[in-house]
Amino acid sequence: MKRNIKRLIKGELQSINPWWLISFHYRDHHSKEDELLKDVADLKRKLHRIIYKSRDKSIKGAGEYPYPKMLFFHETSHQGTGQFHTHLIVEKLPESLNTQVEMEALFRKRLPNKVKALSKWKSIDIQRISQQDDDYKRISSYLGKQTSLELIALDPFNSDLSPQKK
């Protein structure tokens, strides 16, 4: 099963143009999956709003900005607390947000003020993804590590999954 999940994750990475891998935590007592899914939907909605406002309005026709695809993966703490943390893979953002400095400001300052569920004191890790198959394999292996019959890390409700091929 783990191998199939890792293959699914790698396929999803290859179907989008992954640019950033962001790992973040929630405030204490965040151990119920239904609450987590609502909070992630809230985070995604607010992130879309920030991304849309940050598009380059000097480009003719920039009123439309295709939202970057996002894949959410939730894992429970390995320290036995049962609390969730999330790994987010997101495509390239508008130029005004698409630097390490801007991404750190977005996820460490702006979003925690808008999304109450995000931890303001736990670490946030932001890494640029290399557009290579080896990196996709490494990421899919990492994101599939906690997969079991009870937990599949990939969030099918909030992730922008590629359509099934027929």
Side-chain angles (χ1 to χ4, degrees):
M1 182 170 146
K2 266 191 185 188
R3 189 176 9 207
N4 288 337
I5 293 297
K6 289 176 184 178
R7 201 174 303 133
L8 170 77
I9 294 169
K10 187 176 175 198
E12 287 299 323
L13 291 174
Q14 291 170 330
S15 75
I16 66 172
N17 185 12
W19 206 261
W20 298 102
L21 171 60
I22 303 137
S23 301
F24 51 90
H25 297 84
Y26 300 94
R27 291 181 177 210
D28 287 339
H29 312 299
H30 223 85
S31 57
K32 293 189 175 111
E33 195 170 9
D34 57 336
E35 290 175 14
L36 171 73
L37 295 174
K38 287 179 193 170
D39 290 334
V40 171
D42 179 52
L43 178 138
K44 184 176 179 182
R45 195 172 37 258
K46 289 174 179 167
L47 192 53
H48 275 174
R49 203 170 297 141
I50 290 168
I51 291 168
Y52 190 76
K53 283 182 182 175
S54 297
R55 71 196 187 282
D56 187 348
K57 296 166 198 77
S58 67
I59 299 172
K60 187 175 174 156
E64 291 291 321
Y65 181 83
Y67 291 124
K69 297 250 192 277
M70 298 181 194
L71 300 174
F72 292 90
F73 299 84
H74 310 299
E75 295 180 340
T76 55
S77 169
H78 61 275
Q79 297 165 337
T81 62
Q83 283 194 255
F84 285 99
H85 62 276
T86 297
H87 303 288
L88 166 62
I89 292 180
V90 65
E91 289 183 314
K92 187 175 183 179
L93 300 179
E95 294 304 317
S96 62
L97 291 173
N98 210 44
T99 66
Q100 187 74 30
V101 170
E102 289 300 320
M103 289 296 288
E104 288 181 14
L106 175 62
F107 279 88
R108 291 190 175 135
K109 293 185 175 90
R110 290 173 75 182
L111 274 175
N113 288 331
K114 294 181 180 293
V115 181
K116 301 290 184 240
L118 287 179
S119 174
K120 289 180 171 59
W121 55 89
K122 291 184 182 172
S123 66
I124 294 178
D125 185 45
I126 301 169
Q127 297 177 34
R128 175 72 170 82
I129 297 174
S130 140
Q131 309 294 302
Q132 297 171 0
D133 204 45
D134 283 356
D135 213 20
Y136 295 172
K137 187 183 265 184
R138 180 184 58 79
I139 291 168
S140 63
S141 183
Y142 176 72
L143 295 174
K145 72 184 180 294
Q146 280 194 6
T147 295
S148 67
L149 290 173
E150 293 82 38
L151 176 73
I152 295 177
L154 178 62
D155 177 345
F157 301 104
N158 292 303
S159 294
D160 303 314
L161 300 174
S162 60
Q164 290 291 333
K165 295 175 184 153
K166 295 184 179 182

